[in-house]
Amino acid sequence: MFLFRRSVFLRMNIHGLPRNLCSAPSTLLPVQLPTRMESHLWYVVPEEVKSETLLKRYFQLLSPCEKKNVLRMRGDELQKRALLARALVRTTIARYTNDRVDPRSLNFKKNGYGKPEVDWKIEDDWQPPALHFNISHTSSLIACGVAFDSPIGIDVEEKQRKLKHHILAFARRYFSSHEVDHLTSISDFELQRHQFIKLWTLKEAYVKALGRGFSASPFKTFTIKLKAAAKRGIPESRDSKISEISVESLGSEDLTNNWQFLLLELAGSHYGAICMEKHNTLGEGNVPIKLTARRTIPLVEDEFVGTDAVVPIGGLTC
């Protein structure tokens, strides 16, 4: 178990990190809240966190329940990823409290469908922010999305993710007929695989933004529609620009109004999707999502990342 092995602690190789990373003190630097229809995306690459001393510090940030959940994971890598995910959430949310809340003191609750939310302590002299967050991870990247006064859902998937099942057979099981037709019309296998992953990522983000879970919002009850930027139809290359992403309900309950999407290529290795509910004060029509992205090693390093590392490939952004 990596948290308690009797070994010489590894030191973080700061000199091996990119030059444009700026060192942060062990206390978290406050961050200004996102504006409406702005998303802050924080992500950590697990292989960059190699210090056992640092991992032990993260472990001390967790609640007793979270610690048990981490220790329940089988294998060092799964434990490490679970630990990093909880540490990322706690340190990220604490940044938006202007030093009022220590990451260790944060409490969480779940809605009726199991989506985590912050359970703020109400104080007479401080109003907690209307902060929404969501987290997603793969074996090689962990991401946390933050929004102000707007539900948010995010998903990340590896671009080279291998599918155990035949793509179209799998799509017919989970996707709408429109989405299956969309995939069927793509003859190139690699392009079809990439398009499938993009659709899956967008559908996951939407379900997570709804906060209802897969069982309450099965993928077949709605369809994601993509409109190519250059011309109508299917994008020709795997990362062709998509100017518009919309969702359409296929069930009796229409939950699809006012949701906006952003599809990203993240760190060159992942697709990421962000789904946010448009605030009712912003009027009708599509509103671009403003994105601010940071790569982080919590309590050690932060880096603003630009379009070289986070590339919008779908939806409206500004």
Side-chain angles (χ1 to χ4, degrees):
M1 171 50 191
F2 73 88
L3 290 172
F4 303 109
R5 276 202 299 255
R6 292 185 178 181
S7 60
V8 178
F9 291 153
L10 301 175
R11 294 188 63 188
M12 182 69 72
N13 183 11
I14 298 297
H15 299 291
L17 295 172
R19 293 179 182 178
N20 56 344
L21 281 170
C22 57
S23 296
S26 57
T27 55
L28 296 165
L29 295 176
V31 175
Q32 188 173 357
L33 287 168
T35 58
R36 289 197 170 101
M37 292 313 296
E38 178 182 12
S39 172
H40 288 182
L41 182 68
W42 300 77
Y43 70 90
V44 59
V45 178
E47 68 175 14
E48 293 182 350
V49 184
K50 301 176 181 179
S51 167
E52 291 199 15
T53 304
L54 186 59
L55 292 171
K56 287 175 182 288
R57 288 181 65 191
Y58 292 161
F59 194 71
Q60 296 308 311
L61 298 178
L62 274 53
S63 69
C65 181
E66 288 172 326
K67 291 177 181 178
K68 289 180 181 178
N69 289 337
V70 168
L71 296 176
R72 250 187 232 120
M73 297 291 174
R74 295 184 178 181
D76 288 3
E77 290 306 311
L78 287 177
Q79 289 179 353
K80 179 181 178 181
R81 291 201 296 269
L83 173 60
L84 287 174
R86 296 315 306 164
L88 177 63
V89 168
R90 286 182 170 274
T91 55
T92 297
I93 291 173
R95 294 174 185 269
Y96 296 96
T97 66
N98 200 26
D99 291 329
R100 292 295 300 256
V101 179
D102 186 284
R104 291 170 295 186
S105 66
L106 284 167
N107 293 313
F108 297 89
K109 59 184 179 181
K110 294 182 179 180
N111 70 7
Y113 298 96
K115 183 179 181 180
E117 303 170 350
V118 183
D119 188 9
W120 296 106
K121 294 180 179 178
I122 305 300
E123 301 177 12
D124 292 337
D125 61 341
W126 181 67
Q127 182 67 33
L131 207 63
H132 295 256
F133 76 94
N134 196 229
I135 191 164
S136 180
H137 57 83
T138 68
S139 61
S140 55
L141 188 141
I142 302 167
C144 180
V146 178
F148 174 71
D149 204 21
S150 174
I152 183 173
I154 72 165
D155 188 51
V156 293
E157 301 288 345
E158 293 178 349
K159 292 177 65 174
Q160 298 306 316
R161 170 184 170 186
K162 300 301 179 184
L163 304 173
K164 296 180 181 179
H165 307 280
H166 187 273
I167 290 175
L168 291 180
F170 196 66
R172 290 188 187 100
R173 182 178 178 184
Y174 291 103
F175 284 10
S176 70
S177 59
H178 174 87
E179 292 161 340
V180 173
D181 290 343
H182 177 87
L183 294 171
T184 302
S185 64
I186 304 174
S187 57
D188 183 276
F189 175 79
E190 270 300 290
L191 294 182
Q192 186 185 73
R193 185 180 66 83
H194 278 270
Q195 203 70 356
F196 173 89
I197 296 172
K198 292 176 187 177
L199 283 170
W200 185 278
T201 306
L202 289 163
K203 289 172 84 72
E204 282 272 13
Y206 173 64
V207 167
K208 294 172 75 176
L210 285 177
R212 293 164 59 95
F214 183 83
S215 59
S217 301
F219 278 8
K220 272 199 169 185
T221 62
F222 63 93
T223 187
I224 298 290
K225 293 188 175 182
L226 311 177
K227 182 179 179 181
K231 61 182 181 179
R232 300 183 69 178
I234 298 166
E236 294 179 351
S237 65
R238 66 187 59 174
D239 290 332
S240 294
K241 180 71 177 177
I242 302 165
S243 63
E244 186 176 324
I245 303 171
S246 59
V247 58
E248 180 181 305
S249 176
L250 302 176
S252 58
E253 187 178 8
D254 188 0
L255 300 170
T256 59
N257 292 331
N258 295 325
W259 294 99
Q260 307 227 172
F261 295 87
L262 197 56
L263 182 64
L264 310 165
E265 185 187 79
L266 186 58
S269 58
H270 287 71
Y271 289 124
I274 298 172
C275 178
M276 291 178 62
E277 185 175 30
K278 190 180 72 173
H279 198 270
N280 56 19
T281 62
L282 297 176
E284 297 183 359
N286 292 334
V287 178
I289 295 176
K290 182 179 178 181
L291 178 67
T292 301
R294 297 176 177 88
R295 186 165 113 247
T296 183
I297 298 175
L299 303 179
V300 178
E301 308 280 349
D302 297 327
E303 175 196 13
F304 280 101
V305 293
T307 54
D308 55 334
V310 179
V311 184
I313 57 174
L316 298 176
T317 185
C318 58

